Amino acid sequence: MDMWSLAGGLALARMRPVLELAGAETSRLAEIDDIVAGCSAPHVPSGTEKIDSLRNWRSEIGALEDSSTPSYFQSTAAGVAILVASKELPDADRGWRITSSIGNFWDSCDDLLQAGDGYSRAEFQGIKTTLRGVEDMWREGDFHLLTGEGVDVAKAYAERLSRIRYSYPKRRDIARVVAECGQWDILGTSL
């Protein structure tokens, strides 16, 4: 288990409510969930069929020219999941790509909120920074928790993942505002 897989897995878990509203297929979310769940194992479950499936999903989405569309968020998260599950790149390059893709995901959410006046909504009371800022604080906490001396990494990861999932109701409210600001068609989603 490497730190980039652990941090990327937790970040993917935080992205999930947005992906649900971005219309990600249940089977694709399940593939990402499997990767997230396996990140604390000695080896992230990288099954080539799972990685190939996510790559095919990105190919189906095609070229991205607009970071405000739901497909942008789907493709970005699939790309992070592929990087988390595969070890094809050197660690430094892989880490940079994971971190920058996660940042771009949340920056695009912030752009939608800014353009749609989403920050003035009641769901954002008490949040004193951007969604990217919130993610940066979570990620800093992830690294601090997971790199502590003598820490049981698998247990710490599971506890952190549980805490993220516990916050899903609030995250879903915020994801709904992002989707509304982006004028996404969310009628057929489960939220």
Side-chain angles (χ1 to χ4, degrees), residues 77-158:
V80 171
I82 291 165
L83 288 166
V84 165
S86 70
K87 304 286 194 298
E88 298 169 353
L89 298 172
D91 276 350
D93 190 33
R94 184 170 159 256
W96 178 85
R97 287 180 188 218
I98 290 171
T99 302
S100 63
S101 294
I102 293 165
N104 290 341
F105 182 97
W106 293 110
D107 284 341
S108 294
C109 287
D110 289 327
D111 290 346
L112 291 175
L113 291 169
Q114 184 65 35
D117 199 29
Y119 287 114
S120 65
R121 300 266 302 261
E123 293 87 341
F124 283 87
Q125 288 183 353
I127 297 176
K128 297 178 179 15
T129 186
T130 62
L131 294 183
R132 168 72 182 265
V134 170
E135 176 62 22
D136 289 347
M137 287 186 280
W138 271 91
R139 189 177 62 244
E140 183 179 317
D142 295 345
F143 278 102
H144 178 73
L145 180 69
L146 296 169
T147 59
E149 190 167 326
V151 70
D152 178 340
V153 175
K155 182 179 178 187
Y157 181 88

Side-chain angles (χ1 to χ4, degrees), residues 17-18 21 170-180 184:
V18 174
L21 285 176
K170 175 73 172 171
R171 288 180 171 277
R172 286 187 174 113
D173 290 343
I174 289 170
R176 181 171 295 285
V177 176
V178 170
E180 289 170 356
W184 298 352

